[in-house]
């Protein structure tokens, strides 16, 4: 598994790239520092290879989250990967 986001820090949106070694079921989620899940960006079976998802720093209702550090978690049947991302609002 490989997981990263760019740009980081970001203002209006960030792209989260993940690479899977084989076709598998995944859940890609965003958490705040309190450990609360605030977004699910991918949930299902994805093919081997590289994938990219955009996160605009918003909740499902379209409201922008506050400037903070957020955790991106890629979970599979074989493990998980975490990254930190910093949302800066101007």
């Amino acid at each position: 598994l490989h997981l990263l986001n760019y740009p980081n820090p970001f203002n209006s949106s960030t792209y989260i790239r993940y690479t899977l070694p084989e076709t598998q079921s995944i859940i890609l989620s965003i958490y705040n520092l309190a450990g609360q899940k605030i977004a699910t960006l991918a949930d299902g079976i994805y093919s081997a290879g590289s994938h990219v998802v955009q996160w605009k720093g918003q909740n499902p209702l379209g409201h922008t989250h506050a400037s903070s550090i957020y955790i991106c978690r890629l979970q599979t049947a074989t493990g998980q990967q975490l990254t930190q991302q910093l949302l800066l609002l101007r």
Side-chain angles (χ1 to χ4, degrees):
L1 292 176
H2 183 70
L3 176 69
L4 66 94
N5 74 291
Y6 60 92
N8 190 12
F10 70 99
N11 184 357
S12 59
S13 69
T14 187
Y15 292 90
I16 300 163
R17 177 181 299 273
Y18 60 97
T19 304
L20 303 175
E22 59 191 23
T23 298
Q24 57 189 300
S25 179
I26 68 149
I27 301 173
L28 181 65
S29 304
I30 305 292
Y31 293 82
N32 63 21
L33 289 178
Q36 300 165 317
K37 185 189 297 188
I38 59 170
T40 299
L41 304 179
D43 185 356
I45 298 174
Y46 289 81
S47 61
S50 294
H51 304 269
V52 178
V53 176
Q54 182 181 28
W55 183 49
K56 295 182 179 182
Q58 298 175 339
N59 67 19
L61 299 176
H63 299 104
T64 302
H65 290 286
S67 293
S68 185
I69 296 173
Y70 294 91
I71 307 299
C72 182
R73 177 183 181 210
L74 175 62
Q75 182 179 3
T76 70
T78 58
Q80 70 176 356
Q81 181 99 23
L82 303 172
T83 64
Q84 292 183 356
Q85 25 195 349
L86 177 59
L87 170 60
L88 297 174
L89 299 177
R90 297 175 194 189

